[in-house]
């Protein structure tokens, strides 16, 4: 017969009991202190104050070269009313600068081989055309940011002749590319203070002269974070700007409003292709909560210019689940991205170094789909960005390998999202009662009341979004 813990304790010497009590108390205090310190560390990562207009924004990537047959700012401007109707808030324009000719790849070269940071690609138009585009976007209450390539220049950028000491060198003292395969560009050296000064002034120029609203920063991870912190601070002295980093990691939120959710994108591709089960999204959500402060914007996407040209169209990578994953990007924490042509069901890989116009005359339901999703995000505060949006809690199901369900909650509002990431028709049980209550179907007009442990029938690649009508 085992003695009770209480009786055992009575037989211990008093000094031992006191020491044991002190040890337990100290350990508890240390754990609490560590948790507090960890939370404080997360809270201080995001030093950026987001523009108020970004709280419910969506972003749209514009490929000027391929957008129209003309491939000009003026031709693209004709699409602005349509994009406004689509519900776009931020226009991200791929690089607008003249493209280098020396060591050029393909006939037209890479947008990311910058010949002149103060110039305009003559194929796109001139400075007046660009300013008119910015003004038109602003008149429709859309913001416009441009792509900025701070890490490298074209080989015929005048800086190479005037300041060869600003560039990376190989073992023989010759200027080199930042990455071996990037033969059309030369790498800048950010250990040289003058490089930083030049780049800051060039970036300030476009905010002052063209009234742009910020930048998407190419390969931001290849440039020191403290440089980007300086950039954001100095640009904010001119106007509140929005900064997007082509980088992933908590540290970038010391300098940027938003970073790429690359890991999530790759997981979506793997789930769509059957290489991973849906549980990887659970692990991802937990890791995001642990590593990122709640005010960090993360950019969610099913495609962009790199993915489309080099890894395949959204239909190649995600197949019949393309729309389901798009819903996920709109309802999961983060800001959703639409790439040029996605609203037209673009099913081709756009040539990167050649002219290859988007086909806009296809019969497609994605335009109406994106219009509906953009409106849903704008109208529903639980789906807003960063701290403006609702807290995310996953709902366990009896089909964790296929279904991902979660709620987004903010004060009296709550949204329930259920996604079938499989090509099977299934019946799924939503466990627990965190979602219980009366809802409106966000994509229809039906009302629905959910009790604890409810069962739901889902078609292949089905998605459901419900907005709670009132607190239960």
């Amino acid at each position: 017969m085992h003695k009770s813990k209480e009786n055992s304790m009575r037989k211990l010497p008093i000094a031992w009991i006191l020491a044991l009590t002190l040890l337990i108390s100290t350990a508890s205090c240390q754990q609490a202190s560590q948790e507090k310190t960890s939370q404080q560390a997360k809270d201080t990562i995001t030093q950026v104050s987001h523009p108020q207009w970004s709280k419910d924004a969506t972003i749209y990537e514009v490929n000027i070269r391929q957008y129209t047959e003309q491939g000009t700012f003026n031709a693209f401007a004709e699409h602005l009313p349509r994009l406004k109707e689509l519900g776009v808030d931020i226009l991200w324009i791929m690089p607008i600068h003249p493209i280098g000719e020396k060591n050029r790849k393909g006939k037209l070269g890479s947008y990311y081989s910058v010949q002149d940071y103060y110039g305009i690609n003559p194929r796109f138009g001139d400075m007046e055309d660009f300013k008119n585009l910015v003004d038109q976007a602003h008149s429709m209450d859309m913001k416009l940011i441009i792509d900025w390539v701070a890490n490298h220049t074209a080989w015929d950028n005048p800086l190479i002749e005037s300041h060869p000491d600003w560039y990376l060198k190989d073992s023989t003292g010759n200027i080199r590319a930042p990455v071996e395969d990037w033969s059309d560009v030369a790498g800048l050296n950010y250990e040289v203070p003058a490089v930083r000064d030049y780049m800051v002034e060039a970036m300030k120029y476009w905010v002052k002269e063209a009234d742009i609203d910020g930048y998407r920063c190419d390969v931001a991870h290849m440039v020191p974070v403290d440089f980007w912190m300086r950039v954001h601070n100095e640009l904010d002295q001119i106007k509140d700007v929005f900064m997007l980093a082509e980088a992933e990691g908590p540290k970038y939120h010391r300098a940027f409003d938003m970073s790429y959710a690359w890991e999530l994108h790759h997981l979506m591709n793997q789930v769509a292709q059957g290489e991973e089960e849906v549980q990887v999204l659970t692990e991802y959500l937990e890791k995001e909560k642990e590593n990122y402060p709640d005010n960090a914007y993360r950019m969610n996407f099913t495609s962009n210019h790199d993915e489309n040209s080099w890894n395949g169209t959204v239909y190649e990578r995600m197949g019949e689940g393309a729309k389901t994953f798009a819903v996920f990007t709109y309802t999961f924490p983060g800001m959703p991205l639409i790439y040029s042509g996605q609203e037209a069901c673009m099913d081709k890989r756009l040539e990167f170094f050649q002219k290859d116009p988007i086909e806009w005359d296809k019969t497609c339901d994605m335009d109406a789909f994106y219009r509906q999703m953009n409106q849903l995000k704008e109208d529903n505060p639980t789906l807003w960005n960063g701290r403006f949006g609702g807290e995310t809690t996953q709902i366990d199901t009896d089909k964790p390998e296929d279904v991902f369900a979660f709620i987004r909650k903010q004060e009296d509002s709550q949204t329930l999202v259920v996604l079938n990431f499989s090509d099977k028709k299934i019946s799924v049980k939503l466990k627990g009662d965190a979602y219980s209550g009366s809802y409106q179907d966000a994509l229809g007009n039906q009302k629905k009341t959910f009790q604890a442990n409810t069962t739901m029938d889902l078609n292949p690649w089905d998605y459901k979004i419900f907005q709670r009508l009132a607190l239960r």
Side-chain angles (χ1 to χ4, degrees):
M1 180 176 179
H2 295 286
K3 296 178 180 179
S4 69
K5 181 178 179 182
E6 181 181 2
N7 289 336
S8 297
M9 287 288 287
R10 286 174 181 166
K11 294 183 179 295
L12 289 173
I14 296 298
W16 288 17
I17 294 174
L18 290 174
L20 182 60
T21 303
L22 179 62
L23 181 62
I24 294 172
S25 175
T26 301
S28 298
C29 290
Q30 287 177 340
Q31 181 178 357
S33 177
Q34 289 171 353
E35 290 174 355
K36 182 179 180 180
T37 301
S38 176
Q39 182 59 44
Q40 288 173 340
K42 280 206 315 179
D43 290 343
T44 58
I45 290 173
T46 300
Q47 301 173 0
V48 172
S49 178
H50 303 302
Q52 184 69 16
W53 50 259
S54 70
K55 66 181 182 182
D56 59 350
T58 57
I59 187 168
Y60 184 98
E61 182 184 5
V62 181
N63 187 331
I64 293 290
R65 176 188 289 172
Q66 314 297 21
Y67 214 88
T68 62
E69 289 287 346
Q70 302 94 320
T72 64
F73 296 134
N74 291 338
F76 167 69
E78 296 179 9
H79 285 258
L80 290 179
R82 178 183 64 80
L83 293 174
K84 175 63 178 177
E85 181 67 22
L86 192 68
V88 171
D89 299 297
I90 304 173
L91 297 168
W92 149 26
I93 311 293
M94 290 173 67
I96 63 172
H97 307 297
I99 294 172
E101 297 182 12
K102 184 177 180 180
N103 299 333
R104 172 179 285 190
K105 290 186 177 183
K107 183 178 180 180
L108 299 179
S110 168
Y111 317 83
Y112 297 89
S113 176
V114 177
Q115 190 181 64
D116 177 8
Y117 285 105
Y118 287 87
I120 293 283
N121 186 336
R123 291 179 177 271
F124 295 169
D126 57 25
M127 185 62 160
E128 196 62 31
D129 295 332
F130 180 67
K131 286 184 177 181
N132 287 337
L133 175 61
V134 176
D135 289 343
Q136 289 183 63
H138 286 171
S139 72
M140 298 180 192
D141 199 28
M142 289 187 283
K143 306 298 181 180
L144 188 148
I145 67 175
I146 64 173
D147 225 318
W148 193 262
V149 189
N151 180 66
H152 47 263
T153 75
W155 285 99
D156 49 5
N157 188 304
L159 295 177
I160 283 191
E161 295 296 327
S162 60
H163 298 286
D165 56 311
W166 288 10
Y167 286 81
L168 299 174
K169 306 290 177 59
D170 62 20
S171 59
T172 63
N174 293 315
I175 295 174
R176 66 173 177 84
V179 177
E180 186 176 357
D181 184 53
W182 299 359
S183 58
D184 57 340
V185 294
L188 287 165
N189 183 356
Y190 274 78
E191 293 183 6
V192 179
V195 172
R196 297 175 179 236
D197 295 340
Y198 173 90
M199 203 61 68
V200 168
E201 291 304 312
M203 295 180 79
K204 288 164 68 173
Y205 170 83
W206 291 96
V207 177
K208 290 178 179 178
E209 296 299 317
D211 197 26
I212 65 169
D213 300 291
Y215 291 95
R216 178 268 187 185
C217 299
D218 184 60
V219 292
H221 62 282
M222 298 180 73
V223 176
V225 173
D226 65 325
F227 166 75
W228 295 123
M229 292 173 67
R230 174 187 170 187
V231 167
H232 203 154
N233 180 62
E234 295 200 26
L235 294 181
D236 272 348
Q237 306 308 309
I238 305 171
K239 67 184 294 186
D240 287 339
V241 294
F242 185 86
M243 301 290 286
L244 165 61
E246 189 197 12
E248 181 160 51
K251 68 179 182 180
Y252 296 103
H253 291 273
R254 298 164 59 197
F256 291 92
D257 294 276
M258 185 160 71
S259 62
Y260 270 52
W262 275 118
E263 182 182 359
L264 179 61
H265 177 76
H266 295 147
L267 290 176
M268 288 192 289
N269 284 333
Q270 291 164 1
V271 170
Q273 295 163 21
E275 297 174 3
E276 292 283 0
E277 292 188 341
V278 173
Q279 287 98 322
V280 295
L281 301 179
T282 299
E283 298 166 8
Y284 177 85
L285 176 59
E286 294 172 352
K287 186 164 60 174
E288 286 286 295
K289 286 183 175 182
E290 179 181 352
N291 294 333
Y292 285 85
D294 61 5
N295 203 32
Y297 292 3
R298 306 281 276 124
M299 189 174 76
N300 302 329
F301 52 94
T302 58
S303 190
N304 59 39
H305 67 270
D306 284 314
E307 290 300 302
N308 170 265
S309 292
W310 309 119
N311 296 324
T313 70
V314 67
Y315 302 106
E316 287 181 84
R317 291 178 285 102
M318 297 180 174
E320 295 181 0
K323 190 179 288 187
T324 311
F325 285 101
V327 170
F328 182 53
T329 66
Y330 271 85
T331 53
F332 196 72
M335 184 186 296
L337 167 75
I338 305 171
Y339 177 49
S340 296
Q342 281 197 270
E343 71 272 38
C345 296
M346 184 171 65
D347 59 356
K348 71 172 180 177
R349 303 186 185 194
L350 295 176
E351 291 288 342
F352 202 80
F353 306 115
Q354 313 289 347
K355 181 67 177 173
D356 188 15
I358 296 168
E359 299 170 5
W360 290 107
D361 56 355
K362 297 180 61 177
T363 301
C364 176
D365 66 345
M366 289 301 286
D367 184 87
F369 167 80
Y370 279 118
R371 193 181 307 120
Q372 183 180 42
M373 296 306 299
N374 286 331
Q375 191 65 55
L376 175 66
K377 182 176 178 67
E378 180 181 344
D379 292 343
N380 192 334
T382 65
L383 303 181
W384 289 359
N385 305 317
R387 195 173 291 144
F388 296 109
E391 182 181 354
T392 305
T393 303
Q394 187 181 356
I395 302 298
D396 291 333
T397 77
D398 64 345
K399 298 289 191 303
E401 69 280 5
D402 296 318
V403 176
F404 192 74
F406 57 96
I407 54 174
R408 300 284 305 276
K409 185 176 182 179
Q410 184 194 69
E411 298 179 350
D412 292 343
S413 301
Q414 183 162 294
T415 300
L416 169 64
V417 182
V418 184
L419 304 162
N420 181 10
F421 286 125
S422 78
D423 58 1
K424 301 175 292 186
K425 185 174 182 178
I426 59 178
S427 179
V428 61
K429 178 188 288 186
L430 306 183
K431 299 180 180 180
D433 64 353
Y435 57 86
S436 299
S438 298
Y439 291 79
Q440 178 83 38
D441 183 348
L443 304 179
N445 297 314
Q446 294 183 337
K447 294 181 179 180
K448 181 79 172 179
T449 298
F450 293 110
Q451 305 295 334
N453 298 313
T454 193
T455 298
M456 185 182 299
D457 293 328
L458 298 172
N459 290 319
W461 302 109
D462 208 353
Y463 50 88
K464 305 288 185 183
I465 307 174
F466 300 96
Q467 296 171 288
R468 191 164 66 178
L469 301 177
L471 283 174
R472 55 188 175 88

